[in-house]
Structure formats: C-alpha cells, structure tokens
Amino acid sequence: MNAIPQPKTHQIVDRINALQAASPRFIDASGITPLSREWRAIRHEIDQLMRVDACAAWELMGSWRGLEGDIEGAEAAFRNSRALGQSDVSRENWMITRLNLGLFSAAQEIYRELTEPQTADFMAIAQYGVLAGAIGRTAQLIKRARATGFEWDDEMTRRVMEADSILIAAHFADERIARHLDTAGSVLRRHRLRASVVPHVTSEEGVFRGVTYLLNVPVSFEQAHDMNFELVLEDVEADNVMDVAFDVHFAGVHA
C-alpha cells in the first residue's frame, strides 16, 4: 500500500470530527456556509484517497454522508468498505455514524458483533453500546470481563449494573429500548438534529426506580416540549408500549 494514505486518512478523520463538533445540526448541503464549504472540501479529499485506499475512503465517505443526515448514502458507503475488508475500527465508526443518525437498533446490531472483553478498546466501545440502549448486553459483558479478571469498576459500570437490575425487573429488553430510541431518532432527523444522549438512573427504594434517556438538543424549552409531543405520536404509531421503568425525553439545553 502506498505510504501516503495513512496520514491522509487521519487528516480527513480530524476534519470530519471537527465539522461534526462545530454544530449539532446536520449539514445543509443546499446552502453556502463555512460548514457546507468545508463539507464539500472534505469530499474532494476523500475522492483523492479513493484512488489509493478505497477501503478507507469508503469508510470515510460513510462518516461524511452521515454529517448531512444521508442514511442511504452512509449505509451504502460502509457496506462498500466492508466488502473491501472492514476492520473492527471501521465497524465501530459505522456504529457511531448510526448513533449520530438516530438509528439505535442498527447501532446495537454492530455492537453485538464488536463486544468481546478481550477487545483492546472494549471499554470505549461499551460506552457507545450504552448510548445505543444496549444496557443488558453491556451488563452481561461486564460480568464476563470481571470473571476473567478484567478490572472494571467505574461510575459508568455502576450505573449500567443498576440500570440493568431495574430493566430486568421490568422485563425491558435492549431491543425494546432501541425501538423507543428509534422513534426519537425519527423526530431528531425530522428536525435535522443530533442529540447528546445522557442515560440517567433514578433509584429510590420504595419510591421510584427507572431509567431515562435524556436527549439534549439545542432548542428552547418550548421546542423541546413540542418534540416530546411528536415523540409520543411516533411511539403510538410504532406500537411502542410505555412503561414507568423506562423513558426517553428531549431536553432543550439552549436555543
């Protein structure tokens, strides 16, 4: 392989990450703004990389398409990368892109493939799994990791185990969590927003025990309220059964 692609790949990754961090909104490719200009410039770099490292270029294309909110384009690009020899890192990036697009069930599919305690970056991957709603799967892996002598006892771990006990008691499986989050993803895409996902566990014995996924979005309180109403309608349309043990809620963090 040509020696040029690896540093070039890292440069493009940095530019994609910087562009994503610049705004929680999907890029409007129809407009002319500093963000859309940078988005188009990145495409030029990816096209050049395609000539020497198509596998890496298709992976980057998937992440790049995700910045625009283009589900079909992102999925097609990652499938092309997989056909050319996808790595665990590439699959992890695919999972992250699915999360950014609000495709939580699809993100859980990749998470189930990736998560083995011996994986070097298992702890980092597990954090994405929690964001995807895979509480039960992550709790199982934590137990397996501990059984093999893997030291893992931080605040996230404690929250996961507590959330798992609540959801087991309520018979609330990971797949059901993902379906609720998927409806929230539909609302987010309608508003062309990416949310900051914050799982929250409330456990007061004899009072209330529940898990809430707070989806922080850069809108006013009133707009977040309207989005929560849209979420209720989406849940009804999807036949999602509500339960006090689990909730998804949009929170406006700033207008």
Side-chain angles (χ1 to χ4, degrees):
M1 182 182 294
N2 193 304
I4 296 174
Q6 189 172 14
K8 174 63 72 174
T9 299
H10 292 163
Q11 291 170 16
I12 297 173
V13 168
D14 288 343
R15 291 177 70 177
I16 288 174
N17 289 340
L19 188 55
Q20 179 168 300
S23 174
R25 301 178 185 276
F26 292 123
I27 298 294
D28 180 3
S30 66
I32 301 176
T33 66
L35 295 183
S36 66
R37 288 194 188 97
E38 171 65 0
W39 183 75
R40 293 187 183 92
I42 292 172
R43 170 60 188 265
H44 177 69
E45 296 294 320
I46 294 173
D47 286 344
Q48 288 188 321
L49 180 63
M50 192 74 72
R51 302 169 187 169
V52 289
D53 190 348
C55 183
W58 278 118
E59 177 188 343
L60 292 168
M61 183 72 77
S63 298
W64 178 81
R65 288 289 186 190
L67 292 174
E68 188 192 8
D70 179 0
I71 293 175
E72 291 185 4
E75 288 290 299
F78 277 110
R79 285 195 298 269
N80 287 341
S81 176
R82 180 176 60 189
L84 293 171
Q86 192 178 51
S87 66
D88 281 351
V89 172
S90 179
R91 287 190 294 168
E92 184 179 341
N93 288 333
W94 194 352
M95 177 183 172
I96 293 169
T97 297
R98 285 179 169 181
L99 284 173
N100 289 334
L101 290 167
L103 304 173
F104 295 90
S105 292
Q108 281 197 20
E109 290 177 9
I110 297 178
Y111 183 60
R112 285 191 290 270
E113 298 174 4
L114 282 174
T115 43
E116 290 298 333
Q118 63 266 30
T119 303
D121 56 350
F122 170 67
M123 292 175 67
I125 294 171
Q127 292 181 32
Y128 291 119
V130 172
L131 296 181
I135 297 293
R137 172 67 173 167
T138 304
Q140 291 173 3
L141 292 166
I142 289 171
K143 293 173 185 175
R144 284 172 51 192
R146 286 174 172 173
T148 61
F150 190 88
E151 293 294 332
W152 193 9
D153 187 25
D154 57 12
E155 182 59 30
M156 188 200 83
T157 305
R158 289 188 286 275
R159 289 201 309 270
V160 167
M161 301 310 290
E162 189 170 20
D164 185 51
S165 69
I166 293 170
L167 296 170
I168 286 175
H171 305 288
F172 216 101
D174 289 352
E175 293 78 10
R176 189 174 168 191
I177 294 173
R179 287 196 297 272
H180 280 278
L181 290 169
D182 283 341
T183 58
S186 296
V187 176
L188 286 166
R189 290 192 299 276
R190 186 180 304 133
H191 291 269
R192 297 192 58 76
L193 290 169
R194 293 190 311 272
S196 172
V197 181
V198 182
H200 182 72
V201 180
T202 302
S203 183
E204 295 291 340
E205 289 294 341
V207 180
F208 176 74
R209 300 183 77 220
V211 178
T212 301
Y213 269 58
L214 292 175
L215 306 185
N216 293 324
V217 285
V219 299
S220 66
F221 171 83
E222 291 77 11
Q223 289 173 302
H225 175 78
D226 291 343
M227 290 176 69
N228 281 314
F229 182 70
E230 292 179 45
L231 178 56
V232 171
L233 297 180
E234 290 282 348
D235 275 325
V236 171
E237 181 69 20
D239 291 326
N240 286 336
V241 179
M242 302 295 104
D243 192 296
V244 294
F246 181 80
D247 189 27
V248 179
H249 185 79
F250 289 114
V253 290
H254 50 75

